[in-house]
Amino acid sequence: MRNQLAVTIGQYSTAGTKEANQDFHGALVPDGEELWTKGVALALADGISTSALGAAAAETAVKSFLTDYFATSEAWSVQTSAARVISATNSWMHAQNLKGRGTNLSDGERERGMVCTLSALVLKSRSAYVFHVGDARVARVAGSVLEPLTEPHRVYLGGGESYLARALGIDRRVEIDRRKVPVARGDIFILTSDGVHDVLPDTAFLEAARGEDLDAAARFLADAALAAGSEDNLTVQILRVEDLPQSDLDDLAGEEAALPPAPHLIAGQDFEGFTVLRELHAGHRSHVYLARDDETWQRVAIKVPSTENGADPAELRRLMLEEWIARRVRNTHVLGAPAARASRRHAYAVTEFLEGATLEDWVGFQSGTTDLVAIRSIVKQVASGLQALHRLEILHRDLRPANVIVDSEGTARIIDFGSALVAGLDELAPRAEDAMFAGTMQFTAPEIWLGAGASRKSDLWSLGAIAYFMLTRSLPYGVRLSAARTRAAQRKLAYIPASEINPEVPDWMDAALARALALDPADRYEELSEFTYDFAHPNTALAAPPPRPWLARRPERLWQAISAALALALALSIATRGNEREPGASHGSANRVSTPRTEEIPE
């Protein structure tokens, strides 16, 4: 039985000496797959005490965080999910505060508006993520050491006077302190409002952390703060880490990744509710079959691992990742997957079956003039699919013509997610950066060959390389790019203008390609949409790539010239040697002794 994230939580809140409690707190520990993909969350907010809306603001902040964080995509990282949720809550509060007050809040209006602090903790896999705005505190107890993980956002005026410098609802945008720390079994995290930690020494928190009953420990700290003279609301949350997952990709696929690999299948075979129709592909990593779902009669593709060299656990996890992505990305230009079945007896992946040709084959089918309209359409469709992946923080990393299917109606779809990098799942199972080997080298961005991590711009480069390939059936830097493993070697490379190979490519389209295919990611487009627009519309701000030197463009002409010169020299040499042979023969005969013949003259 594999380990999973397990925690114990204790909480307590009281108004203290005040008439009303304007603190608010909450925690959420989900069940099932959500525990793996989203983790455990705690949040504590402290409303501005001088405002009648302070309590409402604190309650809104906590409830919004706990509800909306778990509603974000499982593919998003914790950092992205939490930051977007907090920013959205801040924007809403600020808008409420501005109603009827113009564009800015005066100091007095800030005090009367919906304004509060917020500190949140998310535990996912073997890491803790802290998000902090205001003067509450998140601290960790590891052994006998108390480590504050946040700093108060207060400006101190002297004489004990201070004011809150950062809070939700004050400005249109909010600056959020973020921190990620590794977690060990037995670690204890303590969230407190300022009325608690401002008056208690570290020893009080260390003593509370030793208690078994965490609710009692939380109340102990609040009571101790009250006894120490605190005049504020008092809220304490304590979380103890009881167990941690193994931190591998098995987490993302549930128990399925631990199942035995599916066997090779044959046509007509019944397999776990599917009827196998025929084999579509057989490779060294996997075998793909066309099958029919016996319940829905939908045609699907079943991918099983190639077990010729034994079941590779890494291959099984990649296989499960493919279906996981296909089921969650909803886009016309990305391969989808049917709903998951209740249970399986083997590890395999099921996706939609797409009828059509790979883009590699599609290019081979084209003949005659270049169909620029069709090529621009395909590029735009593939970009749409990439944008859908990127919105979920998924990098494809293996985009190439063989991984794009074009159907009879011209619809293009991205397939094969075995090399994809999912930000949210990478937190579950950090793995060595294998992007250098994830894709096919001809369509892999140059920075990957230098050992850099994949990014949206590396996917953009691959799309540009595909567009270039469709126009020229060639590669933008020739075959030397994959061998250029240093920056110095890459600087020696030059973009080969597509118009040199295919005169039908307009200069303005070549200019868009050159920017998308820049060796330095900083020189590329920031967004896919910018590239697809410039690829279809002339952009006068872009300069066409300069023509290369004549010898670089036509290296064969150099060798032709050299060959012609050598042939001419040889011909001249032969001719010269022939002319010298005639006098040479008489000189040779001089070495022979001859007797002149005397003829008699008749009388």
Side-chain angles (χ1 to χ4, degrees):
M1 181 70 177
R2 60 178 184 160
N3 295 348
Q4 64 177 351
L5 180 62
V7 300
T8 300
I9 297 175
Q11 305 177 94
Y12 181 75
S13 184
T14 178
T17 61
K18 294 195 171 184
E19 294 183 2
N21 188 356
Q22 294 195 315
D23 290 352
F24 199 87
H25 67 283
L28 203 159
V29 182
D31 296 324
E33 185 180 2
E34 228 178 11
L35 181 61
W36 302 105
T37 58
K38 303 302 289 185
V40 174
L42 288 78
L44 186 157
D46 181 357
I48 297 297
S49 58
T50 57
S51 170
L53 298 178
E59 182 176 356
T60 298
V62 170
K63 288 185 175 180
S64 295
F65 182 84
L66 295 179
T67 301
D68 295 346
Y69 168 74
F70 285 93
T72 58
S73 169
E74 296 166 332
W76 284 1
S77 66
V78 172
Q79 301 275 14
T80 297
S81 297
R84 290 190 181 184
V85 167
I86 295 172
S87 295
T89 302
N90 173 77
S91 296
W92 183 85
M93 285 186 180
H94 183 65
Q96 298 304 305
N97 292 338
L98 283 180
K99 284 184 176 179
R101 299 184 178 90
T103 59
N104 296 299
L105 292 177
S106 66
D107 292 341
E109 287 169 338
R110 289 181 182 182
E111 294 295 308
R112 296 192 299 273
M114 291 188 72
V115 179
C116 69
T117 70
L118 177 67
S119 294
L121 174 73
V122 176
L123 260 68
K124 180 178 175 182
S125 187
R126 305 176 72 88
S127 297
Y129 302 82
V130 177
F131 304 90
H132 175 63
V133 180
D135 59 359
R137 188 179 76 174
V138 181
R140 175 173 59 176
V141 176
S144 58
V145 177
L146 176 72
E147 176 191 9
L149 301 178
T150 58
E151 293 288 340
H153 299 141
R154 299 197 70 85
V155 175
Y156 294 93
L157 305 176
E161 293 293 324
S162 67
Y163 67 88
L164 194 61
R166 204 186 302 177
L168 298 187
I170 293 178
D171 294 314
R172 190 177 304 278
R173 290 184 175 85
V174 62
E175 184 178 351
I176 307 166
D177 285 356
R178 312 177 196 185
R179 187 169 181 182
K180 175 184 176 182
V181 295
V183 175
R185 190 177 290 108
D187 280 357
I188 294 174
F189 294 86
I190 304 178
L191 285 70
T192 52
S193 56
D194 61 320
V196 178
H197 55 261
D198 278 355
V199 300
L200 290 181
D202 291 354
T203 52
F205 294 93
L206 294 173
E207 181 181 350
R210 289 192 289 268
E212 282 298 317
D213 185 341
L214 296 188
D215 284 326
R219 181 160 190 161
F220 163 79
L221 288 173
D223 290 345
L226 188 61
S230 176
E231 298 179 351
D232 205 347
N233 298 150
L234 310 165
T235 302
V236 181
Q237 293 178 287
I238 305 177
L239 179 147
R240 182 170 59 225
V241 180
E242 307 290 0
D243 204 356
L244 292 170
Q246 294 298 326
S247 184
D248 59 36
L249 284 178
D250 292 344
D251 296 347
L252 70 91
E255 301 294 340
E256 293 173 1
L259 295 173
H264 291 182
L265 307 175
I266 58 175
Q269 178 179 352
D270 292 330
F271 176 71
E272 297 201 8
F274 299 98
T275 298
V276 180
L277 302 179
R278 68 174 186 271
E279 186 175 69
L280 297 172
H281 168 78
H284 71 283
R285 287 175 56 177
S286 61
H287 294 257
V288 184
Y289 303 89
L290 173 64
R292 184 182 63 242
D293 188 318
D294 293 340
E295 291 183 6
T296 65
W297 282 71
Q298 178 185 3
R299 292 199 297 174
V300 298
I302 297 178
K303 180 180 284 192
V304 306
S306 176
T307 56
E308 296 166 359
N309 299 319
D312 182 353
E315 290 296 329
L316 289 181
R317 291 191 291 269
R318 277 193 288 268
L319 195 67
M320 306 313 298
L321 175 64
E322 288 196 59
E323 183 176 337
W324 191 94
I325 293 174
R327 191 178 300 128
R328 284 161 175 78
V329 181
R330 296 284 184 259
N331 186 273
T332 305
H333 305 293
V334 176
L335 176 69
R341 290 177 175 269
S343 62
R344 294 183 182 181
R345 297 187 297 276
H346 298 87
Y348 57 92
V350 180
T351 62
E352 295 175 337
F353 169 65
L354 301 180
E355 290 189 272
T358 66
L359 196 52
E360 195 170 44
D361 293 333
W362 184 89
V363 171
F365 297 153
Q366 307 304 304
S367 60
T369 59
T370 305
D371 190 342
L372 295 178
V373 173
I375 290 173
R376 285 196 293 262
S377 173
I378 290 174
V379 169
K380 186 175 181 179
Q381 291 178 65
V382 176
S384 174
L386 273 182
Q387 286 172 321
L389 291 168
H390 291 173
R391 279 193 293 269
L392 296 178
E393 292 194 288
I394 300 172
L395 302 175
H396 191 279
R397 300 200 304 173
D398 193 15
L399 192 63
R400 51 192 169 101
N403 283 340
V404 176
I405 296 289
V406 181
D407 65 19
S408 59
E409 297 179 352
T411 301
R413 289 194 183 185
I414 301 171
I415 65 171
D416 196 342
F417 310 118
S419 299
L421 186 66
V422 184
L425 299 182
D426 199 48
E427 292 167 347
L428 285 172
R431 52 191 179 185
E433 181 52 67
D434 57 352
M436 184 182 296
F437 309 102
T440 300
M441 62 181 184
Q442 292 93 337
F443 296 91
T444 298
E447 64 270 18
I448 304 301
W449 297 106
L450 301 180
S455 67
R456 295 185 179 191
K457 288 193 174 185
S458 58
D459 273 353
L460 166 64
W461 195 96
S462 297
L463 176 61
I466 288 175
Y468 188 97
F469 176 77
M470 287 193 289
L471 290 166
T472 66
R473 304 191 186 189
S474 301
L475 301 172
Y477 293 91
V479 296
R480 297 173 55 199
L481 178 58
S482 60
R485 302 298 181 92
T486 65
R487 294 191 185 280
Q490 288 189 358
R491 281 195 291 267
K492 295 179 182 178
L493 301 176
Y495 171 76
I496 303 171
S499 54
E500 281 186 14
I501 304 170
N502 183 354
E504 295 183 57
V505 178
D507 287 344
W508 57 267
M509 185 179 287
D510 216 354
L513 283 172
R515 183 176 177 186
L517 292 165
L519 293 172
D520 187 343
D523 295 332
R524 296 175 204 154
Y525 288 99
E526 291 296 326
E527 300 293 340
L528 284 161
S529 57
E530 293 180 89
F531 167 57
T532 56
Y533 186 85
D534 284 355
F535 191 67
H537 304 85
N539 183 349
T540 56
L542 291 179
R548 294 182 302 154
W550 181 82
L551 288 180
R553 287 182 280 129
R554 295 296 180 88
E556 74 279 1
R557 295 295 176 85
L558 173 63
W559 295 112
Q560 289 170 358
I562 292 174
S563 298
L566 289 174
L568 179 61
L570 180 60
L572 290 172
S573 175
I574 293 173
T576 302
R577 291 171 68 91
N579 293 335
E580 292 175 350
R581 187 171 300 280
E582 291 298 329
S586 62
H587 290 311
S589 62
N591 295 327
R592 295 193 294 270
V593 176
S594 62
T595 301
R597 186 175 62 179
T598 302
E599 295 184 359
E600 294 182 359
I601 300 176
E603 295 180 356

